Amino acid sequence: QKEVEQDPGPLSVPEGAIVSLNCTYSNSAFQYFMWYRQYSRKGPELLMYTYSSGNKEDGRFTAQVDKSSKYISLFIRDSQPSDSATYLCAMSAGTYKYIFGTGTRLKVLA
Amino acid sequence: DSGVTQTPKHLITATGQRVTLRCSPRSGDLSVYWYQQSLDQGLQFLIQYYNGEERAKGNILERFSAQQFPDLHSELNLSSLELGDSALYFCASSVEGGRRTDTQYFGPGTRLTVL
């Protein structure tokens, strides 16, 4: 079993929809949770960074962490075609070492 | 633009050959990380350097090696290349590397194709 599981998609939604992207993990030592966005043929770009449980909001993006269920989510409101990308979750137990999910491909249709 | 630069963007070579990938971290960042991204494996951590010294190793093959120079740029050397080494190789940098609030910023990557 992988330490971090992420549905690869692809996930297709109409413009304006609310998108929910999720990751589950098995290592209870993870404390730091990140979401990266990766456009085709580009490097991952940090979107959200959260510590511990709860919600964090930044514009149209909300990151949610449920440590009791070992489950994290990224919500995108009012999705736009420019949000079409691969979204990677990453986790850390508080050190340099990030464990990444395999990424979910999202396509927002105009 | 993350501020991390990588060269070359693309590299095509043959099996058995050796290549060198180069990375310059963001200004002020002391730590450099190398990752390999393939379709079936996702983003895999290879190795980390901090201020010129190796700090951590991940799933790095013995045929691969890296170093970080006094000016903080880093090179990843891949030798005796195999078809399965074809992948995207990313470099990331952070201020320190190991502190819990440290964030890794990724470069644009080098796409390696081994024929």
Side-chain angles (χ1 to χ4, degrees):
Chain A
Q1 184 191 4
K2 290 183 179 179
E3 278 190 284
V4 178
E5 299 276 1
Q6 187 174 8
D7 187 331
L11 179 62
S12 291
V13 301
E15 183 175 358
I18 296 175
V19 176
S20 171
L21 304 166
N22 311 296
C23 288
T24 59
Y25 62 95
S26 57
N27 188 346
S28 57
F30 288 146
Q31 301 177 62
Y32 301 91
F33 305 91
M34 284 69 65
W35 285 96
Y36 283 82
R37 178 175 62 195
Q38 186 175 19
Y39 290 113
S40 181
R41 299 178 181 275
K42 301 287 186 184
E45 166 196 11
L46 181 67
L47 273 180
M48 300 284 284
Y49 178 104
T50 55
Y51 169 66
S52 196
S53 288
N55 290 3
K56 183 176 180 180
E57 192 172 316
D58 184 1
R60 296 185 295 112
F61 298 92
T62 299
Q64 192 173 78
V65 175
D66 182 348
K67 292 185 79 177
S68 61
S69 302
K70 297 191 179 68
Y71 188 88
I72 69 170
S73 299
L74 178 71
F75 297 97
I76 306 174
R77 289 184 298 282
D78 188 25
S79 56
Q80 303 295 309
S82 59
D83 295 325
S84 298
T86 296
Y87 290 80
L88 301 157
C89 62
M91 307 181 188
S92 166
T95 68
Y96 64 91
K97 191 174 180 183
Y98 282 23
I99 306 296
F100 282 84
T102 50
T104 299
R105 280 194 298 138
L106 171 67
K107 190 162 189 177
V108 181
L109 304 170
Chain B
D1 185 356
S2 66
V4 179
T5 61
Q6 288 187 249
T7 57
K9 284 187 180 179
H10 303 280
L11 204 47
I12 301 174
T13 188
T15 54
Q17 295 298 305
R18 173 189 168 96
V19 297
T20 298
L21 313 183
R22 183 189 167 104
C23 167
S24 292
R26 294 186 323 154
S27 176
D29 284 359
L30 298 178
S31 222
V32 168
Y33 311 77
W34 286 98
Y35 288 86
Q36 180 190 59
Q37 187 178 42
S38 55
L39 280 173
D40 56 345
Q41 291 291 320
L43 207 57
Q44 299 286 313
F45 169 71
L46 295 177
I47 197 164
Q48 179 202 6
Y49 277 80
Y50 172 73
N51 205 20
E53 296 196 0
E54 182 185 305
R55 176 166 276 190
K57 263 185 175 179
N59 304 321
I60 189 166
L61 299 172
E62 285 192 15
R63 300 183 285 109
F64 296 1
S65 64
Q67 53 184 328
Q68 186 179 28
F69 294 87
D71 67 352
L72 300 177
H73 91 271
S74 177
E75 292 180 356
L76 178 67
N77 301 296
L78 314 176
S79 62
S80 302
L81 285 168
E82 301 176 358
L83 295 177
D85 297 328
S86 296
L88 273 167
Y89 290 84
F90 288 105
C91 168
S93 74
S94 68
V95 174
E96 291 201 9
R99 286 177 56 189
R100 60 185 184 181
T101 55
D102 226 359
T103 299
Q104 295 182 26
Y105 295 89
F106 282 78
T110 293
R111 181 175 294 275
L112 173 66
T113 302
V114 182
L115 301 175

